[in-house]
């Protein structure tokens, strides 16, 4: 099972200041591009299987 997102906060996320968790404008652009379904489609078709352990997002 292919996991793409993990909405659960980790212990490290709760310790870090909020400023560290914010992406720079350049990284926000890259993050938006990588989150596009057209980019992820080849990976989903190859790695989205229903057996075995889930992947780490």
């Amino acid at each position: 099972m292919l996991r793409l997102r993990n909405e659960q906060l980790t212990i490290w996320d709760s310790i870090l200041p909020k400023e560290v968790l914010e992406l720079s404008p350049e990284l926000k652009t890259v993050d938006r591009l990588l989150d596009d379904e057209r980019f992820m489609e080849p990976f989903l078709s190859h790695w989205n299987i229903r057996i075995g352990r889930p992947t780490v997002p």
Side-chain angles (χ1 to χ4, degrees):
M1 178 187 332
L2 181 63
R3 288 188 192 174
L4 299 177
R5 290 178 182 76
N6 186 6
E7 302 299 328
Q8 185 176 357
L9 292 177
T10 66
I11 186 86
W12 301 113
D13 293 332
S14 64
I15 293 173
L16 291 172
K18 296 216 183 257
E19 297 83 32
V20 176
L21 298 175
E22 288 292 319
L23 294 174
S24 67
E26 295 87 9
L27 288 177
K28 283 182 182 179
T29 303
V30 171
D31 185 50
R32 191 180 75 249
L33 291 172
L34 290 176
D35 202 29
D36 189 358
E37 289 182 14
R38 293 175 292 170
F39 177 77
M40 291 305 296
E41 195 279 323
F43 298 99
L44 289 172
S45 64
H46 187 266
W47 293 106
N48 198 16
I49 57 175
R50 298 287 178 204
I51 59 174
R53 293 182 69 167
T55 62
V56 176

